[in-house]
Amino acid sequence: MVQPPWFAAVFPPFRKDAPVRGPDWAPCPDDFNRIGEGPYLSRRRHAPLWLGAVVGISGKTAELGLAMRLSLLLLLLLPSGPPPTSGMEDAAFPHLGESSQPPPRACPLRCFCPRADTVDCNGLDLQVFPDNITRAAQHLSLQNNQLQELPYNELSRLSSLRTLNLHNNLISSEGLPDEAFESLTQLQHIYVAHNKLSVAPQFLPRSLRVADLAANQVTEIFPLTFGEKPALRSVYLHNNRLSNAGLPPDAFHGSEAVATLSLSSNRLSYLPPSLPPSLERLHLQNNLISKVPRGALSRQTHLRELYLQHNQLTDSGLDATTFSKLQHLEYLDLSHNQLTSVPAGLPRTLGVLHLGRNRIRWVEAARLRGARRLRYLLLQHNQLGAMGLPAGALRPLRGLHTLHLYGNRLERVPLALPRRLRALVLPHNHVTALGARDLAGMPGLAELNLAYNRLVSARVHHRAFRPLRALRSLDLAGNQLTRVPGGLPGSLHSLRLQRNQLRTLEPELLAGLDQLRELSLAHNRLRIGDIGPGTWHELQALQVLDLSHNELSFVPPDLPEALEELHLQGNRISHVGAAAFLSTPRLRALFLRANRLHMTSIEPEAFLGLLHLSVVDTAGNPEQVMFRLPPAAPRQPRVGGP
């Protein structure tokens, strides 16, 4: 057989004594490219003996072409080295039982390890500290289990830990060795709240930033529990059993970055000395504190929030210097104590002062003069009587936004209140009258609550509310009014008059209230004949109307078109006619509970045009009421039944 000229170059004669050459990468000859399907990069090497046999078995020209194609195909498929023999394998090729992916990360049984440095064993009811935790773990969560102890040998392996969450277990101080955390030199966050610790750990790592030991039974902490921690920012010790004896004077020595300290719900009898000067938030509520020692807060010049509510503080437990050095204080809560006067020496930075539920009988103007930036003053549930808030006592508080005075014994609205006041809350007092000028000094007032006082219509001046041109919410519920007050400002959005003695609704008294969206007239004595024609004419924005618990015998006619919610429960309605709701096409909810309706009391066409109606409550009537919702209305469950 005559071989083509290039055959010898590609397949040189095979000799048994020829050395095996390593593969060298080279482009194929042009003839090779013509035989293949495009340019290739081939590896040329000595062909094995069996390939030469295949090529040379036939002498016919046609068979030669076929053999040549087969030989080139086999050449492309051959590996670059000699055929593998026993004991020789390609290390780069995955074999049976192996994978080209990296081996899976070790993770304790039933735990979740979303990253190489995170182990989450939350809520598995574990009773034993899990093994097989990788040494590379930086974040370990064991919260919501039943662990009773922490084995030192397991913790000491985890020297890379930054976060350790042991919240809500059964760990006692006996189950927490003194040296438990000494190897965790990178630990920044530790959460051991809701366990059974009786004393705090004697040593926590210097690297710590957040420590949460709340809701245990801790009676004592030690100098190195929180001391010598330059990066420590937050300490939570609330809901424990700490007394002043269990809190050493050097508890925070060397920890000059602590910004938040929570010691609430413990057994402290006085404000602890030597607190970190860096504090910004201090929680001491729900203790037994009866005094703040002189100078106890003199170094906390960065303090912004101080919570001292629910203690036993008296006037003698505070002095003029108690708060005077707190030049960044914004929030002070002294509610639920035994104070009889406003504390002296309040800082000018104060924005919120909570003095509710004390025994304050008198507000002295001089005590508030320094707190000129005060915006919220809460004096509810004290013993302020007729002379408890003298005229002008609050006038220095020019920026005051909200004043809460409910639950006192005031007989009139305090005079000369700050002009910028936006909310005046005075329910549950003894106010009996409103004069023409009582509210005149507060043109920006947006909310006025005089509910549950002793107001009678004869002693409410018809111009009393006229100066309040910005008023949006007026609550006069629970008084003794027999008619709607006159001169109501057109800016009103909400008017509450429930639980009075209203016997009439006059159109002229509601005239101009074209922005009113909610009107409550529940629990009065209104009858259909007491509602004058055109009463609802100008209430074009009204969306919620409550006429429940009156003496109405049928649905009032000509209700506002914008109405979406109508309360008529607890009346004497016995029939709903076909035209009852022709004026209220946007109605969504109708309450007819506890009337005198029977099975067929509602005409079939009554709801015909109410395409948005989705709630109809007819429960509590003598019989189960039958009615038909319009076809386009959403099919929500009806509320019915006898």
Side-chain angles (χ1 to χ4, degrees):
M1 180 182 64
V2 179
Q3 296 173 340
W6 53 265
F7 190 89
V10 178
F11 300 117
F14 182 80
R15 302 198 315 268
K16 291 183 179 180
D17 58 343
V20 177
R21 297 184 298 174
D24 57 316
W25 292 92
C28 295
D30 291 339
D31 296 283
F32 182 91
N33 291 337
R34 284 194 295 270
I35 297 172
E37 296 180 352
Y40 286 88
L41 198 64
S42 173
R43 288 206 271 182
R44 294 187 302 182
R45 49 158 297 172
H46 294 290
L49 181 61
W50 54 268
L51 181 58
V54 171
V55 175
I57 57 173
S58 173
K60 298 180 180 179
T61 304
E63 293 178 349
L64 175 61
L66 176 60
M68 186 169 63
R69 286 176 169 80
L70 289 173
S71 65
L72 292 174
L73 180 60
L74 289 171
L75 179 63
L76 290 173
L77 297 176
L78 279 175
S80 60
T85 58
S86 178
M88 296 178 60
E89 296 182 346
D90 187 352
F93 192 85
H95 297 279
L96 187 62
E98 297 183 6
S99 171
S100 60
Q101 299 297 323
R105 295 190 293 267
C107 191
L109 184 65
R110 298 170 58 205
C111 297
F112 176 53
C113 302
R115 301 188 312 181
D117 63 351
T118 302
V119 180
D120 184 357
C121 301
N122 174 25
L124 300 179
D125 291 329
L126 299 177
Q127 298 183 7
V128 179
F129 195 91
D131 55 9
N132 198 31
I133 297 178
T134 173
R135 292 176 180 269
Q138 295 185 19
H139 309 284
L140 173 59
S141 175
L142 290 164
Q143 65 177 339
N144 301 318
N145 283 290
Q146 299 184 36
L147 300 178
Q148 299 184 30
E149 60 181 3
L150 295 182
Y152 170 74
N153 59 333
E154 291 290 343
L155 271 183
S156 61
R157 295 174 49 252
L158 308 177
S159 57
S160 298
L161 272 187
R162 294 177 180 268
T163 302
L164 177 58
N165 190 344
L166 298 164
H167 177 89
N168 196 25
N169 276 278
L170 304 172
I171 301 170
S172 64
S173 294
E174 292 74 17
L176 195 64
D178 291 340
E179 68 278 9
F181 305 108
E182 66 180 8
S183 300
L184 308 184
T185 57
Q186 299 185 50
L187 192 65
Q188 296 180 357
H189 303 83
I190 183 168
Y191 305 96
V192 202
H194 289 274
N195 277 277
K196 296 184 177 298
L197 300 179
S198 56
V199 296
Q202 291 199 24
F203 169 83
L204 288 174
R206 181 179 174 84
S207 55
L208 210 59
R209 295 190 178 190
V210 177
D212 186 356
L213 277 71
N216 278 276
Q217 302 166 17
V218 175
T219 59
E220 183 178 9
I221 67 173
F222 302 95
L224 288 181
T225 304
F226 304 115
E228 305 300 334
K229 312 283 188 294
L232 189 60
R233 292 283 297 170
S234 303
V235 176
Y236 302 98
L237 283 164
H238 50 276
N239 292 90
N240 276 288
R241 300 179 181 178
L242 275 171
S243 65
N244 289 90
L247 201 62
D250 56 350
F252 296 97
H253 182 266
S255 300
E256 306 297 330
V258 178
T260 300
L261 174 59
S262 178
L263 288 164
S264 59
S265 300
N266 277 281
R267 300 177 180 179
L268 302 174
S269 57
Y270 58 88
L271 197 143
S274 304
L275 294 174
S278 53
L279 278 178
E280 297 178 11
R281 286 168 295 277
L282 177 57
H283 293 262
L284 289 163
Q285 63 266 35
N286 291 297
N287 274 279
L288 306 172
I289 296 174
S290 59
K291 66 177 180 178
V292 178
R294 190 177 184 87
L297 292 171
S298 60
R299 299 190 309 137
Q300 284 68 36
T301 56
H302 299 284
L303 197 63
R304 293 169 49 202
E305 301 172 19
L306 177 56
Y307 300 87
L308 283 164
Q309 67 267 33
H310 289 280
N311 276 285
Q312 299 176 11
L313 285 168
T314 61
D315 294 344
S316 62
L318 306 174
D319 60 44
T321 66
T322 299
F323 308 113
S324 61
K325 300 293 180 65
L326 305 178
Q327 295 306 312
H328 289 89
L329 192 65
E330 298 174 2
Y331 186 101
L332 176 59
D333 194 339
L334 292 166
S335 62
H336 295 269
N337 278 282
Q338 301 172 24
L339 303 175
T340 60
S341 62
V342 177
L346 296 173
R348 65 178 59 187
T349 55
L350 198 61
V352 179
L353 176 59
H354 198 334
L355 291 167
R357 293 194 179 273
N358 276 278
R359 301 174 182 176
I360 298 174
R361 298 181 178 181
W362 171 267
V363 175
E364 187 178 350
R367 296 289 179 96
L368 293 169
R369 191 167 294 137
R372 294 183 179 272
R373 299 183 188 176
L374 198 65
R375 288 184 55 80
Y376 297 88
L377 177 58
L378 291 82
L379 286 163
Q380 69 272 20
H381 293 290
N382 276 281
Q383 298 176 15
L384 295 171
M387 304 300 295
L389 198 59
L394 304 181
R395 181 56 68 88
L397 307 178
R398 296 181 180 180
L400 193 66
H401 179 282
T402 299
L403 175 60
H404 281 208
L405 291 167
Y406 59 83
N408 280 280
R409 302 171 185 171
L410 297 171
E411 296 180 2
R412 63 178 302 172
V413 175
L415 298 177
L417 292 173
R419 291 185 59 83
R420 297 180 183 177
L421 196 66
R422 297 281 293 170
L424 176 59
V425 186
L426 267 167
H428 294 282
N429 276 275
H430 299 166
V431 179
T432 58
L434 283 177
R437 304 293 298 169
D438 286 359
L439 304 172
M442 300 173 287
L445 197 67
E447 178 187 348
L448 175 59
N449 190 332
L450 289 166
Y452 298 96
N453 275 276
R454 299 177 181 178
L455 290 170
V456 295
S457 293
R459 301 194 64 186
V460 177
H461 198 279
H462 66 277
R463 295 182 180 177
F465 301 103
R466 186 167 294 178
L468 306 179
R469 297 182 179 180
L471 194 66
R472 295 169 66 91
S473 175
L474 175 60
D475 194 340
L476 295 170
N479 281 279
Q480 300 170 27
L481 302 174
T482 56
R483 59 184 295 185
V484 177
L488 295 176
S491 57
L492 273 180
H493 284 194
S494 173
L495 175 59
R496 302 178 65 81
L497 288 162
Q498 69 268 27
R499 295 188 182 277
N500 275 277
Q501 299 175 19
L502 299 180
R503 296 177 179 271
T504 181
L505 284 182
E506 303 168 64
E508 59 270 17
L509 296 178
L510 295 174
L513 301 182
D514 55 358
Q515 297 185 44
L516 194 66
R517 298 176 183 175
E518 180 180 352
L519 175 60
S520 179
L521 297 164
H523 290 278
N524 279 283
R525 299 181 180 180
L526 292 171
R527 299 182 180 183
I528 288 295
D530 300 329
I531 302 175
T535 295
W536 318 110
H537 178 70
E538 294 197 37
L539 305 182
Q540 295 305 309
L542 194 66
Q543 297 176 350
V544 179
L545 175 60
D546 191 346
L547 286 164
S548 63
H549 300 284
N550 277 278
E551 299 175 12
L552 304 176
S553 55
F554 55 86
V555 178
D558 301 321
L559 292 171
E561 182 179 352
L563 200 64
E564 296 182 2
E565 187 175 318
L566 178 59
H567 293 261
L568 292 169
Q569 62 267 32
N571 277 280
R572 302 174 181 178
I573 298 173
S574 59
H575 179 74
V576 178
F581 303 106
L582 288 180
S583 64
T584 58
R586 303 179 188 177
L587 197 64
R588 296 177 180 273
L590 174 62
F591 299 90
L592 289 164
R593 173 186 292 260
N595 274 278
R596 299 178 179 180
L597 297 172
H598 292 270
M599 181 179 295
T600 59
S601 294
I602 298 179
E603 294 285 345
E605 298 83 7
F607 303 146
L608 189 60
L610 305 181
L611 303 182
H612 304 286
L613 188 63
S614 60
V615 174
V616 178
D617 182 359
T618 60
N621 280 280
E623 294 180 0
Q624 184 172 355
V625 181
M626 305 295 292
F627 57 86
R628 180 187 304 166
L629 286 174
R635 294 299 176 183
Q636 295 188 6
R638 313 178 195 183
V639 182

mmCIF file with all atom_site columns, all heavy atoms in Angstrom, residues 399-410:
data_model
loop_
_atom_site.group_PDB
_atom_site.id
_atom_site.type_symbol
_atom_site.label_atom_id
_atom_site.label_alt_id
_atom_site.label_comp_id
_atom_site.label_asym_id
_atom_site.label_entity_id
_atom_site.label_seq_id
_atom_site.pdbx_PDB_ins_code
_atom_site.Cartn_x
_atom_site.Cartn_y
_atom_site.Cartn_z
_atom_site.occupancy
_atom_site.B_iso_or_equiv
_atom_site.pdbx_formal_charge
_atom_site.auth_seq_id
_atom_site.auth_comp_id
_atom_site.auth_asym_id
_atom_site.auth_atom_id
_atom_site.pdbx_PDB_model_num
ATOM 1  N N   . GLY A 1 399 ? -41.069 76.220 73.457 1.00 0.00 ? 399 GLY A N   1
ATOM 2  C CA  . GLY A 1 399 ? -41.108 75.181 72.431 1.00 0.00 ? 399 GLY A CA  1
ATOM 3  C C   . GLY A 1 399 ? -41.976 73.996 72.787 1.00 0.00 ? 399 GLY A C   1
ATOM 4  O O   . GLY A 1 399 ? -41.949 72.972 72.078 1.00 0.00 ? 399 GLY A O   1
ATOM 5  N N   . LEU A 1 400 ? -42.759 74.100 73.867 1.00 0.00 ? 400 LEU A N   1
ATOM 6  C CA  . LEU A 1 400 ? -43.561 72.957 74.324 1.00 0.00 ? 400 LEU A CA  1
ATOM 7  C C   . LEU A 1 400 ? -44.557 72.532 73.250 1.00 0.00 ? 400 LEU A C   1
ATOM 8  O O   . LEU A 1 400 ? -45.338 73.336 72.753 1.00 0.00 ? 400 LEU A O   1
ATOM 9  C CB  . LEU A 1 400 ? -44.288 73.309 75.620 1.00 0.00 ? 400 LEU A CB  1
ATOM 10 C CG  . LEU A 1 400 ? -44.909 72.119 76.372 1.00 0.00 ? 400 LEU A CG  1
ATOM 11 C CD1 . LEU A 1 400 ? -43.824 71.191 76.871 1.00 0.00 ? 400 LEU A CD1 1
ATOM 12 C CD2 . LEU A 1 400 ? -45.779 72.605 77.537 1.00 0.00 ? 400 LEU A CD2 1
ATOM 13 N N   . HIS A 1 401 ? -44.528 71.253 72.918 1.00 0.00 ? 401 HIS A N   1
ATOM 14 C CA  . HIS A 1 401 ? -45.387 70.685 71.871 1.00 0.00 ? 401 HIS A CA  1
ATOM 15 C C   . HIS A 1 401 ? -46.601 69.982 72.470 1.00 0.00 ? 401 HIS A C   1
ATOM 16 O O   . HIS A 1 401 ? -47.731 70.146 71.999 1.00 0.00 ? 401 HIS A O   1
ATOM 17 C CB  . HIS A 1 401 ? -44.577 69.704 71.026 1.00 0.00 ? 401 HIS A CB  1
ATOM 18 C CG  . HIS A 1 401 ? -45.349 69.029 69.939 1.00 0.00 ? 401 HIS A CG  1
ATOM 19 N ND1 . HIS A 1 401 ? -46.213 67.976 70.168 1.00 0.00 ? 401 HIS A ND1 1
ATOM 20 C CD2 . HIS A 1 401 ? -45.389 69.248 68.604 1.00 0.00 ? 401 HIS A CD2 1
ATOM 21 C CE1 . HIS A 1 401 ? -46.751 67.581 69.032 1.00 0.00 ? 401 HIS A CE1 1
ATOM 22 N NE2 . HIS A 1 401 ? -46.271 68.343 68.064 1.00 0.00 ? 401 HIS A NE2 1
ATOM 23 N N   . THR A 1 402 ? -46.392 69.175 73.524 1.00 0.00 ? 402 THR A N   1
ATOM 24 C CA  . THR A 1 402 ? -47.457 68.344 74.097 1.00 0.00 ? 402 THR A CA  1
ATOM 25 C C   . THR A 1 402 ? -47.468 68.487 75.606 1.00 0.00 ? 402 THR A C   1
ATOM 26 O O   . THR A 1 402 ? -46.420 68.383 76.262 1.00 0.00 ? 402 THR A O   1
ATOM 27 C CB  . THR A 1 402 ? -47.248 66.864 73.715 1.00 0.00 ? 402 THR A CB  1
ATOM 28 O OG1 . THR A 1 402 ? -47.291 66.734 72.299 1.00 0.00 ? 402 THR A OG1 1
ATOM 29 C CG2 . THR A 1 402 ? -48.319 65.985 74.334 1.00 0.00 ? 402 THR A CG2 1
ATOM 30 N N   . LEU A 1 403 ? -48.677 68.705 76.145 1.00 0.00 ? 403 LEU A N   1
ATOM 31 C CA  . LEU A 1 403 ? -48.857 68.800 77.591 1.00 0.00 ? 403 LEU A CA  1
ATOM 32 C C   . LEU A 1 403 ? -49.936 67.812 78.008 1.00 0.00 ? 403 LEU A C   1
ATOM 33 O O   . LEU A 1 403 ? -51.084 67.907 77.566 1.00 0.00 ? 403 LEU A O   1
ATOM 34 C CB  . LEU A 1 403 ? -49.266 70.228 77.982 1.00 0.00 ? 403 LEU A CB  1
ATOM 35 C CG  . LEU A 1 403 ? -49.601 70.464 79.455 1.00 0.00 ? 403 LEU A CG  1
ATOM 36 C CD1 . LEU A 1 403 ? -48.406 70.149 80.346 1.00 0.00 ? 403 LEU A CD1 1
ATOM 37 C CD2 . LEU A 1 403 ? -50.073 71.911 79.677 1.00 0.00 ? 403 LEU A CD2 1
ATOM 38 N N   . HIS A 1 404 ? -49.549 66.834 78.852 1.00 0.00 ? 404 HIS A N   1
ATOM 39 C CA  . HIS A 1 404 ? -50.485 65.831 79.363 1.00 0.00 ? 404 HIS A CA  1
ATOM 40 C C   . HIS A 1 404 ? -50.813 66.165 80.813 1.00 0.00 ? 404 HIS A C   1
ATOM 41 O O   . HIS A 1 404 ? -49.938 66.172 81.677 1.00 0.00 ? 404 HIS A O   1
ATOM 42 C CB  . HIS A 1 404 ? -49.863 64.433 79.281 1.00 0.00 ? 404 HIS A CB  1
ATOM 43 C CG  . HIS A 1 404 ? -49.924 63.841 77.920 1.00 0.00 ? 404 HIS A CG  1
ATOM 44 N ND1 . HIS A 1 404 ? -49.966 62.488 77.696 1.00 0.00 ? 404 HIS A ND1 1
ATOM 45 C CD2 . HIS A 1 404 ? -49.955 64.404 76.695 1.00 0.00 ? 404 HIS A CD2 1
ATOM 46 C CE1 . HIS A 1 404 ? -50.011 62.246 76.387 1.00 0.00 ? 404 HIS A CE1 1
ATOM 47 N NE2 . HIS A 1 404 ? -50.002 63.397 75.772 1.00 0.00 ? 404 HIS A NE2 1
ATOM 48 N N   . LEU A 1 405 ? -52.116 66.401 81.066 1.00 0.00 ? 405 LEU A N   1
ATOM 49 C CA  . LEU A 1 405 ? -52.568 66.742 82.414 1.00 0.00 ? 405 LEU A CA  1
ATOM 50 C C   . LEU A 1 405 ? -53.747 65.883 82.856 1.00 0.00 ? 405 LEU A C   1
ATOM 51 O O   . LEU A 1 405 ? -54.438 66.216 83.826 1.00 0.00 ? 405 LEU A O   1
ATOM 52 C CB  . LEU A 1 405 ? -52.985 68.224 82.458 1.00 0.00 ? 405 LEU A CB  1
ATOM 53 C CG  . LEU A 1 405 ? -51.849 69.246 82.317 1.00 0.00 ? 405 LEU A CG  1
ATOM 54 C CD1 . LEU A 1 405 ? -52.413 70.632 82.049 1.00 0.00 ? 405 LEU A CD1 1
ATOM 55 C CD2 . LEU A 1 405 ? -50.978 69.260 83.555 1.00 0.00 ? 405 LEU A CD2 1
ATOM 56 N N   . TYR A 1 406 ? -54.004 64.786 82.167 1.00 0.00 ? 406 TYR A N   1
ATOM 57 C CA  . TYR A 1 406 ? -55.201 64.013 82.504 1.00 0.00 ? 406 TYR A CA  1
ATOM 58 C C   . TYR A 1 406 ? -55.069 63.326 83.859 1.00 0.00 ? 406 TYR A C   1
ATOM 59 O O   . TYR A 1 406 ? -53.983 63.063 84.358 1.00 0.00 ? 406 TYR A O   1
ATOM 60 C CB  . TYR A 1 406 ? -55.537 63.005 81.416 1.00 0.00 ? 406 TYR A CB  1
ATOM 61 C CG  . TYR A 1 406 ? -54.490 61.972 81.085 1.00 0.00 ? 406 TYR A CG  1
ATOM 62 C CD1 . TYR A 1 406 ? -54.344 60.819 81.831 1.00 0.00 ? 406 TYR A CD1 1
ATOM 63 C CD2 . TYR A 1 406 ? -53.659 62.145 79.977 1.00 0.00 ? 406 TYR A CD2 1
ATOM 64 C CE1 . TYR A 1 406 ? -53.404 59.862 81.509 1.00 0.00 ? 406 TYR A CE1 1
ATOM 65 C CE2 . TYR A 1 406 ? -52.707 61.189 79.643 1.00 0.00 ? 406 TYR A CE2 1
ATOM 66 C CZ  . TYR A 1 406 ? -52.584 60.058 80.411 1.00 0.00 ? 406 TYR A CZ  1
ATOM 67 O OH  . TYR A 1 406 ? -51.637 59.121 80.086 1.00 0.00 ? 406 TYR A OH  1
ATOM 68 N N   . GLY A 1 407 ? -56.239 63.100 84.454 1.00 0.00 ? 407 GLY A N   1
ATOM 69 C CA  . GLY A 1 407 ? -56.262 62.409 85.742 1.00 0.00 ? 407 GLY A CA  1
ATOM 70 C C   . GLY A 1 407 ? -55.828 63.277 86.905 1.00 0.00 ? 407 GLY A C   1
ATOM 71 O O   . GLY A 1 407 ? -55.292 62.767 87.891 1.00 0.00 ? 407 GLY A O   1
ATOM 72 N N   . ASN A 1 408 ? -56.066 64.606 86.833 1.00 0.00 ? 408 ASN A N   1
ATOM 73 C CA  . ASN A 1 408 ? -55.784 65.489 87.961 1.00 0.00 ? 408 ASN A CA  1
ATOM 74 C C   . ASN A 1 408 ? -57.101 66.045 88.503 1.00 0.00 ? 408 ASN A C   1
ATOM 75 O O   . ASN A 1 408 ? -58.163 65.453 88.304 1.00 0.00 ? 408 ASN A O   1
ATOM 76 C CB  . ASN A 1 408 ? -54.830 66.607 87.527 1.00 0.00 ? 408 ASN A CB  1
ATOM 77 C CG  . ASN A 1 408 ? -53.378 66.131 87.485 1.00 0.00 ? 408 ASN A CG  1
ATOM 78 O OD1 . ASN A 1 408 ? -52.711 66.056 88.503 1.00 0.00 ? 408 ASN A OD1 1
ATOM 79 N ND2 . ASN A 1 408 ? -52.898 65.815 86.278 1.00 0.00 ? 408 ASN A ND2 1
ATOM 80 N N   . ARG A 1 409 ? -57.031 67.209 89.164 1.00 0.00 ? 409 ARG A N   1
ATOM 81 C CA  . ARG A 1 409 ? -58.231 67.810 89.755 1.00 0.00 ? 409 ARG A CA  1
ATOM 82 C C   . ARG A 1 409 ? -58.425 69.243 89.263 1.00 0.00 ? 409 ARG A C   1
ATOM 83 O O   . ARG A 1 409 ? -58.988 70.084 89.977 1.00 0.00 ? 409 ARG A O   1
ATOM 84 C CB  . ARG A 1 409 ? -58.124 67.787 91.284 1.00 0.00 ? 409 ARG A CB  1
ATOM 85 C CG  . ARG A 1 409 ? -57.930 66.384 91.857 1.00 0.00 ? 409 ARG A CG  1
ATOM 86 C CD  . ARG A 1 409 ? -57.603 66.446 93.329 1.00 0.00 ? 409 ARG A CD  1
ATOM 87 N NE  . ARG A 1 409 ? -57.290 65.135 93.877 1.00 0.00 ? 409 ARG A NE  1
ATOM 88 C CZ  . ARG A 1 409 ? -56.796 64.933 95.099 1.00 0.00 ? 409 ARG A CZ  1
ATOM 89 N NH1 . ARG A 1 409 ? -56.583 65.976 95.903 1.00 0.00 ? 409 ARG A NH1 1
ATOM 90 N NH2 . ARG A 1 409 ? -56.524 63.726 95.532 1.00 0.00 ? 409 ARG A NH2 1
ATOM 91 N N   . LEU A 1 410 ? -57.972 69.515 88.057 1.00 0.00 ? 410 LEU A N   1
ATOM 92 C CA  . LEU A 1 410 ? -58.065 70.865 87.513 1.00 0.00 ? 410 LEU A CA  1
ATOM 93 C C   . LEU A 1 410 ? -59.517 71.226 87.237 1.00 0.00 ? 410 LEU A C   1
ATOM 94 O O   . LEU A 1 410 ? -60.280 70.430 86.697 1.00 0.00 ? 410 LEU A O   1
ATOM 95 C CB  . LEU A 1 410 ? -57.243 70.961 86.225 1.00 0.00 ? 410 LEU A CB  1
ATOM 96 C CG  . LEU A 1 410 ? -55.730 70.722 86.385 1.00 0.00 ? 410 LEU A CG  1
ATOM 97 C CD1 . LEU A 1 410 ? -55.069 70.631 85.021 1.00 0.00 ? 410 LEU A CD1 1
ATOM 98 C CD2 . LEU A 1 410 ? -55.104 71.832 87.216 1.00 0.00 ? 410 LEU A CD2 1
#
